[in-house]
């Protein structure tokens, strides 16, 4: 079953509201690119403020970490029946190659397992080609919400069971 336009619109609106509440993400001008049952994609527009090494133009690792932590954390919105606070328990990033100066950055993440207490995510950051990731990420997020013990997720409502 495909998500209805209303469900996708609701998820996008909730995602944009959540992102707008994160001051550091607003300072970086991050935007929600896409959100659905398959996960979350955020965009971090290129800026000279992101450069960590002026000689090479390489993006600062902290900017990539912020993009990926936020993307993985927001991917939980795609699988939960309603908003829950889900702080980061663990985040591992494997860097593959430096980002190219001047190109926007994208983070995509999805949840591959949801338990009563923890949500497991994986994803990547890329620029113009998702098949050529700058880095890969896996993260775990603690469930703190009252609905952590039941309910039907967005993914389950879309006909996709939880692993």
């Amino acid at each position: 079953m495909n998500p209805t336009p209303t469900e996708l619109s609701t998820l996008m609106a909730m995602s944009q509201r959540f992102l707008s509440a994160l001051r550091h993400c607003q300072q970086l001008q991050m935007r929600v690119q896409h959100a659905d049952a398959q996960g979350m994609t955020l965009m971090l527009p290129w800026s000279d403020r992101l450069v960590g090494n002026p000689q090479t133009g390489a993006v600062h690792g902290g900017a990539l970490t912020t993009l990926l932590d936020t993307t993985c954390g927001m991917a939980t919105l795609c699988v939960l029946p309603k908003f829950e606070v889900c702080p980061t328990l663990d985040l591992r990033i494997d860097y593959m190659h430096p980002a190219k100066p001047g190109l926007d950055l994208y983070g995509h993440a999805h949840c591959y397992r949801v338990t009563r207490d923890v949500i497991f995510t994986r994803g990547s950051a890329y620029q113009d080609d998702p098949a050529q990731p700058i880095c890969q990420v896996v993260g775990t997020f603690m469930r703190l919400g009252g609905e952590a013990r039941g309910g039907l997720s967005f993914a389950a409502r879309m006909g996709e069971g939880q692993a």
Side-chain angles (χ1 to χ4, degrees), residues 45-153:
W46 174 261
S47 166
D48 288 336
R49 298 181 335 167
L50 301 178
V51 174
N53 183 338
Q55 275 112 9
T56 65
V59 174
H60 192 282
L64 286 169
T65 299
T66 298
L67 173 64
L68 291 171
D69 185 34
T70 305
T71 305
C72 286
M74 288 182 62
T76 64
L77 298 172
C78 300
V79 297
L80 295 173
K82 66 180 191 176
F83 179 79
E84 291 181 31
V85 174
C86 296
T88 308
L89 289 172
D90 187 52
L91 195 73
R92 176 194 163 112
I93 300 173
D94 293 322
Y95 292 90
M96 315 303 256
H97 64 84
K100 298 173 193 160
L103 296 176
D104 294 340
L105 299 155
Y106 297 87
H108 176 78
H110 68 278
C111 300
Y112 66 92
R113 180 159 168 73
V114 179
T115 71
R116 186 181 76 148
D117 299 309
V118 179
I119 299 176
F120 299 84
T121 66
R122 64 172 61 111
S124 64
Y126 60 92
Q127 287 179 298
D128 50 359
D129 183 1
Q132 297 295 317
I134 297 163
C135 48
Q136 307 263 358
V137 62
V138 292
T140 54
F141 295 81
M142 181 186 296
R143 295 185 69 184
L144 298 178
E147 296 294 316
R149 293 176 184 9
L152 191 60
S153 73

Side-chain angles (χ1 to χ4, degrees), residues 27-56:
Q27 288 294 313
L28 291 169
Q29 299 178 338
M30 287 173 58
R31 295 191 298 269
V32 177
Q33 187 75 19
H34 187 78
D36 63 20
Q38 282 69 52
M40 180 71 58
T41 303
L42 300 181
M43 193 265 284
L44 175 60
W46 174 261
S47 166
D48 288 336
R49 298 181 335 167
L50 301 178
V51 174
N53 183 338
Q55 275 112 9
T56 65

